[in-house]
Amino acid sequence: RKGLALRYGRTMQCIAGIHYNFSLPEALWPLLRDAEGSSESDRDYQSSAYIALIRNFRRYSWLLMYLFGASPALDKGFLRGRPHQLEELDGETLFLPYATSLRMSDLGYQSNAQAGLTPCYNNLDSYTDSLRKAVGTPYPPYVEIGTHVDGEWVQLNTNILQIENEYYSNIRPKRVTYTGERPIQALTSRGVQYVEVRCLDINPFLPVGIDLTEARFLDAFLLFCALEESPQLDNGECSQCTSNFLTVVKEGRRPGLELHRDGQPITLKAWATELIGRIGQLADLLDRAHGGDEHAKALEEQQAKVDDASLTPSAQVLARMTEHDENFVQFSLRQSRIHAETFREQPLPAERQQAYETLARDSLAEQSRLEQQEVGDFDLFVGAYQASILAISN
């Protein structure tokens, strides 16, 4: 983590969000491939389908920011004197009145070094090629710092990315890696296994930051992205997707807000209502598979937010701060204490507590054993790790 702290600052690393992993059953992909009459192998068809899901996610992820964005304000100290266009809510708090997720704006976890890095999601090869280039291309400000300061490692290399997982994106194609294997190697050799959604804010009104209602909507939304037709993205549509997303994170609750679809203006409310209606067909299928109507209810709850922006988490954050006459830090501490008390009132059963304590002891013992077996120094390890990216480039 030292290299990340040096590149982006410790304050930036305090930003937290939810990563939501999603996959479809492995047995489904061959059935879909046969139904489409595709000549691709099972592995290649599955990878292509997940990349197509990601393209649709880029088209529609602005909806998630409207519905679940929960960071319309921040403490003044976070910016540390950086220029901004935020407004003052009080003496200690900055905000934008219609923002949904400042965390996902250019004020959040971003990197100037990565500004020109836009991996293409039209196929897996172009995506991995973009990342491979980034982990092998020096970035002058990082070169100036160097890899060592006073004989100590401060970053693994001086390239745009130290490792692939340093790339900031709203969603990633993923594959579980073997010990010592790089993410690019796993994707290249075995294809995409699941996607990782990375743009979701922690909801400060929920004890664990997310609830089943949100998860059920996400499942229906991502299933929609997977099954909906997903044409290739050209440069114009890529820019439009990015613009729509950034517009919603900064002013998604603005009355009458317009986005752009196929180059034409459309109100957020009209487009969101249309999308939720189409996603509803998948929610109905999920309810038929699981029994009950929980997915349909989850969609109804999201439609209510579209109809009334005051019901969104971002609006609720500002409303509660105003109601209690508190700044951002005071609001955050009050919610944290509420959630802490919730968990204290629900202690783990004794047998489960004991099981976790045993797992913790065993884990620490295993860590100690592995550390005692380690041979060689860190310099050699880093050298071998860096060389591995060259091996899969050739």
Side-chain angles (χ1 to χ4, degrees):
R1 308 290 298 183
K2 183 183 292 185
L4 296 177
L6 181 144
R7 289 185 170 197
Y8 314 118
R10 296 188 184 279
T11 302
M12 194 70 75
Q13 285 198 282
C14 291
I15 299 176
I18 290 173
H19 291 177
Y20 193 86
N21 294 342
F22 176 86
S23 65
L24 291 170
E26 297 279 328
L28 176 64
W29 297 114
L31 298 177
L32 291 176
R33 184 203 62 185
D34 293 344
E36 291 184 10
S38 173
S39 60
E40 290 183 291
S41 67
D42 287 352
R43 187 199 74 173
D44 289 346
Y45 178 83
Q46 178 172 319
S47 292
S48 297
Y50 275 122
I51 295 296
L53 182 162
I54 289 173
R55 289 198 298 272
N56 276 337
F57 183 90
R58 289 209 62 209
R59 292 179 171 105
Y60 308 128
S61 55
W62 57 265
L63 178 62
L64 300 183
M65 307 320 299
Y66 175 84
L67 296 174
F68 304 114
S71 52
L74 51 84
D75 182 73
K76 274 188 177 180
F78 173 78
L79 291 178
R80 295 180 177 269
R82 285 189 294 157
H84 63 82
Q85 295 181 323
L86 303 180
E87 301 178 20
E88 281 197 6
L89 183 63
D90 56 55
E92 303 298 329
T93 306
L94 298 172
F95 84 123
L96 286 177
Y98 300 113
T100 62
S101 179
L102 294 179
R103 184 184 75 91
M104 292 305 300
S105 74
D106 51 4
L107 295 171
Y109 213 138
Q110 303 292 327
S111 162
N112 289 332
Q114 295 182 29
L117 177 60
T118 54
C120 180
Y121 290 107
N122 282 332
N123 56 67
L124 180 59
D125 287 344
S126 62
Y127 172 79
T128 55
D129 285 346
S130 296
L131 291 189
R132 190 181 292 112
K133 180 179 179 182
V135 296
T137 302
Y139 182 63
Y142 298 158
V143 173
E144 187 174 341
I145 295 170
T147 57
H148 291 73
V149 173
D150 297 329
E152 294 287 327
W153 281 91
V154 292
Q155 51 183 350
L156 295 178
N157 58 49
T158 58
N159 299 331
I160 296 173
L161 301 180
Q162 297 173 94
I163 58 176
E164 299 93 305
N165 285 346
E166 193 178 344
Y167 172 55
Y168 305 139
S169 60
N170 298 339
I171 186 170
R172 289 179 183 168
K174 299 280 284 190
R175 160 69 63 174
V176 174
T177 57
Y178 298 141
T179 300
E181 184 180 40
R182 299 186 70 136
I184 288 180
Q185 291 173 312
L187 287 171
T188 301
S189 61
R190 300 189 303 284
V192 184
Q193 187 177 26
Y194 64 98
V195 296
E196 178 189 53
V197 174
R198 301 164 53 82
C199 61
L200 297 167
D201 282 352
I202 294 171
N203 188 323
F205 302 111
L206 301 173
V208 296
I210 188 173
D211 61 8
L212 284 174
T213 298
E214 181 175 346
R216 290 183 179 115
F217 179 83
L218 289 170
D219 285 347
F221 175 85
L222 291 166
L223 185 57
F224 170 78
C225 290
L227 299 181
E228 179 77 358
E229 185 176 352
S230 181
Q232 302 277 295
L233 289 168
D234 61 28
N235 290 336
E237 190 176 10
C238 277
S239 298
Q240 181 178 269
C241 292
T242 300
S243 176
N244 285 338
F245 187 91
L246 293 177
T247 296
V248 174
V249 299
K250 285 190 172 182
E251 50 181 338
R253 288 180 288 105
R254 181 183 297 279
L257 179 69
E258 288 187 339
L259 305 178
H260 284 86
R261 181 174 65 182
D262 300 326
Q264 300 300 314
I266 180 173
T267 65
L268 179 149
K269 186 172 184 178
W271 195 1
T273 298
E274 178 187 315
L275 281 174
I276 290 174
R278 294 164 66 191
I279 296 167
Q281 300 175 51
L282 282 308
D284 290 342
L285 288 176
L286 289 170
D287 281 338
R288 284 164 55 186
H290 295 283
D293 60 356
E294 296 300 326
H295 291 86
K297 288 181 178 178
L299 263 68
E300 290 175 3
E301 189 166 315
Q302 308 321 311
Q303 183 61 52
K305 295 178 189 175
V306 173
D307 295 335
D308 182 357
S310 70
L311 300 177
T312 59
S314 55
Q316 289 292 306
V317 167
L318 297 178
R320 297 290 180 85
M321 291 171 64
T322 300
E323 175 186 348
H324 292 273
D325 191 24
E326 56 194 359
N327 61 38
F328 179 75
V329 169
Q330 292 168 334
F331 163 79
S332 302
L333 285 174
R334 182 170 59 82
Q335 290 302 126
S336 297
R337 293 186 177 112
I338 291 172
H339 298 325
E341 188 58 34
T342 297
F343 290 122
R344 292 190 185 101
E345 292 174 353
Q346 302 173 20
L348 291 172
E351 63 275 12
R352 184 172 297 180
Q353 179 74 27
Q354 181 60 48
Y356 285 144
E357 290 176 358
T358 300
L359 285 172
R361 286 194 299 269
D362 292 346
S363 178
L364 290 171
E366 177 66 7
Q367 176 189 355
S368 178
R369 184 186 69 79
L370 290 173
E371 288 174 346
Q372 291 172 9
Q373 290 181 348
E374 286 182 352
V375 294
D377 60 24
F378 188 65
D379 292 45
L380 292 175
F381 171 80
V382 172
Y385 191 77
Q386 303 294 8
S388 68
I389 197 65
L390 297 176
I392 59 177
S393 299
N394 300 322

